[in-house]
Amino acid sequence: MAMEMRLPVPRKPVSESLGRETKKHLVVPGDTITTDTGFMRGHGTYMGEEKLIASVAGPVERVNKLICVKALKTRYNGEVGDIVVGRITEVQQKRWKVETNSRLDSVLLLSSMNLPGGELAEVQAVFSDGAVSLHTRSLKYGKVPPSLVKRQKTHFHDLPCGASVILGNNGFIWIYPTPEHKEEDAGGFIANLEPVSLADREVISRLRNCIVSLVTQRMLLYDTSILYCYEASLPHQIKDILKPEVMEEIVMETRQRLLEQEG
Amino acid sequence: MAGLELLSDQGYRVDGRRAGELRKIQARMGVFAQADGSAYIEQGNTKALAVVYGPHEIRGSRARALPDRALVNCQYSSATFSTGERKRRTHGDRKSCEMGLQLRQTFEAAILTQLHPRSQIDIYVQVLQADGGTYAACVNAATLAVLDAGIPMRDFVCACSAGFVDGTALADLSHVEEAAGGPQLALALLPASGQIALLEMDARLHEDHLEQVLEAAARAARDVHTLLDRVVRQHVKEASILLGD
């Protein structure tokens, strides 16, 4: 097993030039946001003796009469229509408890699941392990902060490199090899227990390292950013992607390509 | 104690500080990626690490869940190499339990627990090097860690220790000053409102002097707040730059 050790190096401060022009009003808990009582208070604030005080550290967001402070890191707060990836933690009589990196465990009622031979409603979530096994063992799911997953129309992406990614809104990401046959009946599931080929596994590990490097540099995750990062990482070996200088180089390239693409 | 004067005639302490002067404080947030929130603080030679998980579902006995607020669970641990002599501490010994309880009382006062009913917030603090003022360093580290996790709090909780020697109140005691045996007081403060989250003292102090010592501790805690405030603002600024929009 190869090992690499390095001495600590001082962190480079983030340069101001990377940021956009807008100056945001940043607050920390205990700061008074405003003494004007006309505003409605949203998340991240509380009322204390005639003043609106912040309760988390972050930028203040104002939407008409609503003031809220968006914390940098929070647990996932569910919203209707979100796609989430979770792990079953408990099996109760009529329902399963699913761990989804939110404040409380989510609940999935058995009656809303589609098991083979049943004619019930479509599955609303994707599972790993537990009794319902959708894909083979070699698949990985990793956790990233939920705030880094961009909200999009669809969260199921088939990347041209041969793997597919499901970006859960709760920060859990599921990477799996693209299944070859796509004509399976909608709503059913196939227990696919064949071993995954080495080439597919390499693609998956490379993707996983790319996602990890995007997260350390705090970039938003969506199919384009992941794809660009994957392409930028091709000249390097998979295990080198996690080295700090390689990570920076790849992410810088990704950032540039995204900026060029925008305008 | 012969030969060791805690406060010289010119007003200098053993390490060269003035009576009300704090030790150098350096802190960093977000040191662990896996935890929801984490922070590391150095106050002089005292080093403490805090890690926060939550709010999450209550593990273990479901009966402990409170229907209207979150449960705050604090654990204190001291590394074997943290003191001058290597001392192996068992988990759950008296001092750790007491510290854990004090930290829990402090943070239950500061965290807005009503916003997360039936969930649990875990705060784990570890002291890596103990050179006096361990409770204060733990509280300060835990405050930064809770902020890093995005858990809503009423205000910062800033803590500092204070003692009394030769008619003068000393702020931020080091190990040498604590071991000398004089009265010492630990204060945890919510700076914006001036409310006291926890005040702890177990020594003999004349009530005439209490006011003075309390005042010194409060002033020192406010100085700590200035420093922690700067650290948090810098961290938030960097993070929002990287995040872009």
Side-chain angles (χ1 to χ4, degrees):
Chain A
M1 189 176 86
M3 264 214 322
E4 198 187 286
M5 288 206 269
R6 40 176 82 196
L7 291 173
V9 276
R11 267 169 78 238
K12 288 188 287 237
V14 175
S15 64
E16 292 266 346
S17 56
L18 267 180
R20 314 285 166 85
E21 297 309 315
T22 51
K23 273 290 182 192
K24 296 251 193 93
H25 181 204
L26 300 170
V27 287
V28 296
D31 272 359
T32 311
I33 304 178
T34 178
T35 42
D36 186 354
T37 47
F39 289 104
M40 287 194 297
R41 53 178 200 79
H43 287 304
T45 65
Y46 70 98
M47 211 49 172
E49 42 179 91
E50 301 287 320
K51 299 186 285 194
L52 198 61
I53 308 181
S55 61
V56 289
V60 176
E61 308 206 330
R62 222 187 81 177
V63 181
N64 294 334
K65 282 291 201 173
L66 179 71
I67 290 193
C68 57
V69 182
K70 195 170 109 146
L72 289 176
K73 256 200 262 184
T74 39
R75 288 242 160 178
Y76 170 62
N77 287 321
E79 275 173 40
V80 177
D82 275 356
I83 301 284
V84 294
V85 175
R87 166 166 259 140
I88 312 280
T89 51
E90 221 182 292
V91 173
Q92 294 176 350
Q93 279 232 321
K94 288 256 175 73
R95 58 190 189 171
W96 291 353
K97 282 261 170 150
V98 186
E99 199 248 308
T100 50
N101 192 26
S102 44
R103 287 175 2 217
L104 295 173
D105 285 346
S106 318
V107 165
L108 191 67
L109 299 169
L110 283 179
S111 52
S112 61
M113 278 257 313
N114 196 357
L115 294 171
E119 322 85 29
L120 304 168
E122 217 178 28
V123 171
Q124 304 287 344
V126 181
F127 305 100
S128 73
D129 289 14
V132 179
S133 174
L134 216 54
H135 299 278
T136 66
R137 267 160 301 169
S138 82
L139 297 175
K140 306 174 158 277
Y141 93 72
K143 181 185 124 168
V144 298
S147 47
L148 286 183
V149 178
K150 184 168 175 179
R151 271 182 193 274
Q152 282 192 293
K153 280 233 186 81
T154 160
H155 287 258
F156 296 79
H157 304 295
D158 287 338
L159 300 175
C161 47
S164 302
V165 162
I166 301 181
L167 297 165
N169 286 96
N170 57 334
F172 283 177
I173 298 185
W174 187 251
I175 313 177
Y176 59 103
T178 315
E180 264 132 43
H181 30 268
K182 298 290 271 171
E183 10 45 67
E184 62 207 45
D185 38 308
F189 84 98
I190 299 176
N192 182 1
L193 293 173
E194 298 157 10
V196 180
S197 69
L198 181 63
D200 276 344
R201 269 187 267 154
E202 286 189 356
V203 169
I204 292 177
S205 333
R206 189 178 279 276
L207 267 178
R208 184 248 174 208
N209 284 355
C210 288
I211 293 181
V212 166
S213 37
L214 284 173
V215 167
T216 26
Q217 303 286 327
R218 299 202 69 98
M219 278 200 67
L220 273 183
L221 291 172
Y222 51 108
D223 54 350
T224 326
S225 70
I226 297 179
L227 191 59
Y228 284 174
C229 194
Y230 180 83
E231 289 172 4
S233 75
L234 282 173
H236 303 276
Q237 280 211 314
I238 301 181
K239 56 184 198 294
D240 287 340
I241 303 179
L242 291 177
K243 290 197 189 142
E245 48 304 329
V246 178
M247 215 190 272
E248 265 181 45
E249 188 195 313
I250 299 179
V251 176
M252 198 56 69
E253 209 184 300
T254 314
R255 227 186 263 273
Q256 275 181 326
R257 272 185 78 179
L258 284 171
L259 279 175
E260 278 167 33
Q261 196 217 27
E262 276 173 32
Chain B
M1 197 166 138
L4 184 67
E5 45 172 16
L6 292 178
L7 193 65
S8 75
D9 302 322
Q10 291 88 18
Y12 291 109
R13 290 151 78 171
V14 184
D15 49 9
R17 286 186 284 153
R18 289 277 182 195
E21 208 180 310
L22 290 178
R23 293 175 288 181
K24 180 172 181 193
I25 296 183
Q26 289 176 306
R28 266 246 264 143
M29 289 167 66
V31 288
F32 285 128
Q34 312 94 294
D36 287 321
S38 55
Y40 171 74
I41 196 170
E42 285 184 15
Q43 257 180 265
N45 285 328
T46 302
K47 303 182 165 73
L49 189 60
V51 173
V52 170
Y53 290 96
H56 61 77
E57 183 94 11
I58 302 217
R59 312 266 178 242
S61 55
R62 209 51 64 75
R64 278 170 41 221
L66 299 163
D68 58 339
R69 27 186 244 277
L71 196 68
V72 176
N73 171 35
C74 291
Q75 272 191 31
Y76 165 89
S77 146
S78 183
T80 49
F81 45 81
S82 61
T83 45
E85 258 186 34
R86 186 174 199 271
K87 219 192 278 184
R88 186 162 181 275
R89 281 153 238 272
T90 51
H91 241 335
D93 69 316
R94 203 87 71 79
K95 181 159 178 261
S96 306
C97 279
E98 188 188 352
M99 273 288 222
L101 192 64
Q102 283 177 353
L103 287 170
R104 196 176 75 151
Q105 285 176 337
T106 314
F107 282 95
E108 269 182 355
I111 296 180
L112 295 169
T113 46
Q114 282 84 1
L115 295 178
H116 300 294
R118 293 184 298 124
S119 56
Q120 180 179 336
I121 298 173
D122 294 319
I123 304 178
Y124 300 112
V125 186
Q126 169 130 38
V127 171
L128 300 171
Q129 196 169 311
D131 185 26
T134 46
Y135 168 75
C138 290
V139 167
N140 296 331
T143 295
L144 290 180
V146 170
L147 275 181
D148 189 43
I151 298 178
M153 282 215 289
R154 203 159 277 130
D155 192 359
F156 277 75
V157 187
C158 300
C160 198
S161 56
F164 193 74
V165 163
D166 288 347
T168 327
L170 303 178
D172 197 9
L173 304 171
S174 63
H175 179 70
V176 171
E177 292 163 341
E178 279 183 0
Q184 34 180 297
L185 181 145
L187 175 72
L189 192 70
L190 276 69
S193 47
Q195 293 173 335
I196 296 179
L198 189 119
L199 173 62
E200 189 240 352
M201 183 177 83
D202 53 17
R204 285 230 206 105
L205 182 68
H206 198 290
E207 64 172 308
D208 291 348
H209 304 315
L210 181 62
E211 184 79 41
Q212 189 184 355
V213 180
L214 207 51
E215 181 54 46
R219 207 175 315 127
R222 290 218 164 78
D223 291 340
V224 171
H225 169 67
T226 315
L227 283 155
L228 294 185
D229 186 279
R230 201 183 304 161
V231 168
V232 176
R233 275 187 211 275
Q234 180 64 25
H235 178 84
V236 173
K237 196 159 81 137
E238 282 193 359
S240 51
I241 286 179
L242 280 176
L243 213 48
D245 46 15

